C-alpha cells in the first residue's frame, strides 16, 4: 500500500497491528479440537460493488495465506437466504462465523444461534445492535460521514454557491452505518442550516440501499423543490450514481455537487468528469485483513485483545473493535485509490476517460 493511504487509518491500524493473543492456539487439527473453518456471509452485490470486488478478494487472500478452510457466501439482500446460509455453515462445522448483517434483527438471530452452538462470531463492517458478536471490525463511520459533509462544503465554496438548497439521500434505515454516516455529515451541515447559510432540502432514507429506489426518490425530490436542489449528500456511491443519472436527464449533472463514499470505479470516473465532487475511500484491504486475523484466531481457539471498543446502545455493551480511518477523494487524489490497488486503472481509465486520467496524473 502507498504510505499516504496508510496514514489515514492510523488509529485503526494501530488497533489491528496490536492485536495480541490471550488464549491458547490449539493448532490446525489439534487432537480433540475441530479443524479451523471460517464462514463469511456478505450482504449483497447490488448496493455496492465492493462486497464482491474487494471484500471477498481480500478475505480469500488472507484465509489462503493462513492455510485455513473457509466458505464465503453472499445473501444477495435476502433475509431468508441469509439465515439459511448461516444454518448450513454451522451444520457444516465452521468454528468462526463473520457476518455483514442485512438488519440487526436477522443478524442477532444468526449470531445467537451460532453462539449457542459454540461458534465464535464477528460483526464485519456493520454492527448488529443487540447482538452477541465477540468482535466488531469496521470504519469510524461517523468520521466517514463527516468527510462527506466537509467535502460538500468545499465543493459549494469552490463553486461560490450562496444559500444552497441541500438534499440528503441517506442509506437504509435498518443499517446502523447509515445512521452513523448521517450523524457525521449532519454534524457539518446542521450548523450551516441553523445559521441560514444553507437551506435544508429534502431528507430521505433509501430502503435496503436500493439504487433504483434511490433514483426514484431523488426524482421526487427534484419535483418537490421545482428543480431547486443545489447540492446532494448521497450516502454511498451507488446512490450518488443514481442521483447523477437523474441530474443528467435534467441537464444538471456537473452543476450540482454530489458526494458519495466507497470510491468505486464508476464514482472515480464521475469525479474525473466533474459529475461527482468527491467520495470517501475506505481501505477495505485493511478492514478485511484485520477481520480475517481475528477470525483465524477465533477459529483456532484463540482470543485477541483490541485497543478499541464499539458501544452497542441496544445491547448496552462495549464490543471489542477495530475501527479504521478513511480518506476524502477528489479529482486530485483519484490516483491514490488506484495506486493502492483498490480499483484497477483499466476499469477507470477506459477510452472515454483516458484523457481525464492523464490530466489527473494517473500514469
Amino acid at each position: 500500500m502507498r504510505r499516504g493511504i496508510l496514514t489515514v487509518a492510523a488509529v485503526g491500524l494501530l488497533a489491528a497491528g496490536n492485536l495480541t493473543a490471550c488464549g491458547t492456539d490449539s493448532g490446525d487439527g489439534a487432537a480433540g479440537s475441530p479443524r479451523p473453518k471460517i464462514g463469511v456471509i456478505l450482504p449483497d452485490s447490488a448496493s455496492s460493488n465492493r462486497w464482491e470486488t474487494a471484500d471477498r478478494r481480500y478475505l480469500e487472500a488472507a484465509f489462503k495465506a493462513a492455510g485455513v478452510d473457509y466458505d464465503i457466501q453472499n445473501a444477495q439482500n435476502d433475509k431468508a437466504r441469509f439465515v439459511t446460509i448461516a444454518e448450513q455453515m454451522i451444520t457444516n462445522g465452521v468454528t468462526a462465523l463473520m457476518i455483514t448483517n442485512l438488519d440487526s434483527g436477522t443478524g442477532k438471530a444468526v449470531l445467537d444461534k451460532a453462539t449457542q452452538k459454540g461458534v465464535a462470531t464477528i460483526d464485519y463492517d456493520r454492527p448488529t445492535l443487540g447482538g452477541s458478536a465477540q468482535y466488531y471490525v469496521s470504519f469510524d463511520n461517523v468520521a466517514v460521514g463527516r468527510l462527506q459533509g466537509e467535502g460538500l462544503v468545499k465543493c459549494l465554496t469552490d463553486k461560490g454557491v450562496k444559500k444552497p438548497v441541500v438534499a440528503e439521500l441517506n442509506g437504509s434505515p435498518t443499517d446502523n452505518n447509515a445512521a452513523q454516516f448521517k450523524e457525521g455529515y449532519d454534524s457539518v451541515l446542521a450548523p450551516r442550516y441553523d445559521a441560514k447559510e444553507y437551506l435544508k432540502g429534502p431528507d430521505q432514507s433509501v430502503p435496503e440501499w436500493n439504487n433504483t429506489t434511490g433514483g426514484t426518490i431523488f426524482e421526487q425530490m427534484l419535483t418537490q423543490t421545482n428543480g431547486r436542489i443545489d447540492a446532494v449528500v448521497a450516502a454511498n456511491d451507488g446512490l450518488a450514481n443514481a442521483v447523477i443519472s437523474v441530474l443528467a436527464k435534467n441537464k444538471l449533472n456537473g452543476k450540482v455537487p454530489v458526494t458519495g463514499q466507497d470510491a468505486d470505479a464508476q464514482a472515480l470516473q464521475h469525479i474525473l468528469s466533474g459529475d461527482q465532487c468527491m467520495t470517501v475511500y475506505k481501505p477495505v484491504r485493511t478492514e478485511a485483513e484485520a477481520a480475517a486475523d481475528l477470525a483465524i484466531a477465533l477459529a483456532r481457539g484463540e482470543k485477541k485483545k483490541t485497543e478499541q471498543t464499539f458501544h452497542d446502545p441496544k445491547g448496552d455493551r462495549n464490543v471489542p473493535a477495530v475501527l479504521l480511518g478513511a480518506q476524502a477523494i477528489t479529482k486530485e487524489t483519484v490516483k491514490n485509490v488506484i495506486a493502492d490497488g483498490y480499483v484497477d486503472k483499466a476499469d477507470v481509465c477506459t477510452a472515454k476517460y483516458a484523457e481525464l486520467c492523464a490530466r489527473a496524473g494517473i500514469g
Side-chain angles (χ1 to χ4, degrees), residues 273-306:
S273 68
D275 288 341
Q276 185 168 328
C277 75
M278 62 84 67
T279 187
V280 178
Y281 173 49
K282 300 180 297 188
V284 173
R285 185 202 304 268
T286 308
E287 179 189 26
E289 288 174 350
D293 187 47
L294 288 170
I296 291 163
L298 287 174
R300 290 173 170 166
E302 297 177 4
K303 290 184 179 179
K304 292 194 171 188
K305 291 182 179 178
T306 68

Side-chain angles (χ1 to χ4, degrees), residues 79 101-105 126-127 129 171-178 205-209:
K79 294 176 188 177
N101 69 57
L102 298 178
D103 62 36
S104 285
R126 297 174 184 167
L129 301 184
S172 174
T174 60
D175 182 353
N176 187 68
N177 284 4
S205 297
V206 179
E208 299 180 344
W209 292 95

Side-chain angles (χ1 to χ4, degrees), residues 12-358:
L13 282 169
L14 281 172
N18 287 321
L19 293 173
T20 56
C22 55
T24 302
D25 188 348
S26 61
D28 292 357
S33 299
R35 179 175 173 80
K37 183 177 181 181
I38 299 164
V40 179
I41 310 178
L42 299 174
D44 70 279
S45 57
S47 66
S48 175
N49 294 329
R50 62 164 283 193
W51 301 115
E52 288 297 325
T53 63
D55 296 84
R56 179 186 288 271
R57 171 168 51 120
Y58 295 137
L59 288 168
E60 283 183 343
F63 296 146
K64 285 178 181 177
V68 297
D69 293 339
Y70 64 92
D71 180 9
I72 302 175
Q73 296 191 46
N74 194 310
Q76 298 298 354
N77 202 35
D78 184 326
K79 294 176 188 177
R81 181 174 179 176
F82 190 98
V83 172
T84 298
I85 291 171
E87 290 175 343
Q88 290 172 343
M89 287 181 171
I90 293 168
T91 299
N92 291 337
V94 296
T95 52
L97 178 65
M98 183 191 308
I99 70 165
T100 305
N101 69 57
L102 298 178
D103 62 36
S104 285
T106 306
K108 174 176 166 51
V110 164
L111 292 172
D112 288 351
K113 182 164 187 177
T115 300
Q116 290 166 8
K117 297 293 184 179
V119 177
T121 54
I122 297 175
D123 271 332
Y124 181 66
D125 199 74
R126 297 174 184 167
T128 300
L129 301 184
S132 54
Q134 291 167 257
Y135 295 99
Y136 170 52
V137 180
S138 188
F139 296 90
D140 181 339
N141 292 310
V142 174
V144 170
R146 195 157 48 242
L147 288 174
Q148 289 178 286
E150 292 167 352
L152 193 72
V153 169
K154 184 179 186 305
C155 294
L156 286 168
T157 300
D158 290 348
K159 283 182 174 289
V161 183
K162 303 298 182 184
K163 292 195 173 181
V165 175
V166 178
E168 298 185 15
L169 193 64
N170 312 303
S172 174
T174 60
D175 182 353
N176 187 68
N177 284 4
Q180 291 187 306
F181 297 145
K182 181 171 174 56
E183 178 185 343
Y185 49 73
D186 278 349
S187 73
V188 175
L189 298 175
R192 289 168 172 79
Y193 297 145
D194 293 342
K196 309 299 181 188
E197 295 173 15
Y198 292 1
L199 302 176
K200 186 171 175 60
D203 181 354
Q204 194 166 338
S205 297
V206 179
E208 299 180 344
W209 292 95
N210 186 288
N211 296 328
T212 301
T213 302
T216 300
I217 290 171
F218 183 68
E219 281 190 298
Q220 294 167 349
M221 288 179 171
L222 267 184
T223 300
Q224 175 187 338
T225 59
N226 294 317
R228 174 81 200 280
I229 290 178
D230 300 305
V232 184
V233 178
N236 75 353
D237 286 338
L239 295 177
N241 180 59
V243 167
I244 290 165
S245 296
V246 174
L247 291 173
K249 285 197 299 185
N250 291 274
K251 296 183 170 53
L252 293 171
N253 57 308
K255 299 176 182 178
V256 176
V258 180
T259 72
Q261 57 101 6
D262 278 343
D264 64 27
Q266 186 174 54
L268 299 183
Q269 290 176 331
H270 284 321
I271 290 171
L272 292 172
S273 68
D275 288 341
Q276 185 168 328
C277 75
M278 62 84 67
T279 187
V280 178
Y281 173 49
K282 300 180 297 188
V284 173
R285 185 202 304 268
T286 308
E287 179 189 26
E289 288 174 350
D293 187 47
L294 288 170
I296 291 163
L298 287 174
R300 290 173 170 166
E302 297 177 4
K303 290 184 179 179
K304 292 194 171 188
K305 291 182 179 178
T306 68
E307 295 186 354
Q308 297 161 292
T309 59
F310 168 79
H311 182 70
D312 174 359
K314 188 169 184 180
D316 192 23
R317 69 187 187 109
N318 292 321
V319 184
V322 176
L323 303 175
L324 300 162
Q327 179 182 353
I329 298 296
T330 61
K331 192 174 295 186
E332 292 72 29
T333 52
V334 164
K335 59 188 176 185
N336 291 355
V337 183
I338 295 171
D340 211 33
Y342 182 66
V343 295
D344 290 335
K345 175 185 173 182
D347 293 332
V348 177
C349 303
T350 57
K352 181 179 176 182
Y353 295 92
E355 185 178 344
L356 293 175
C357 283

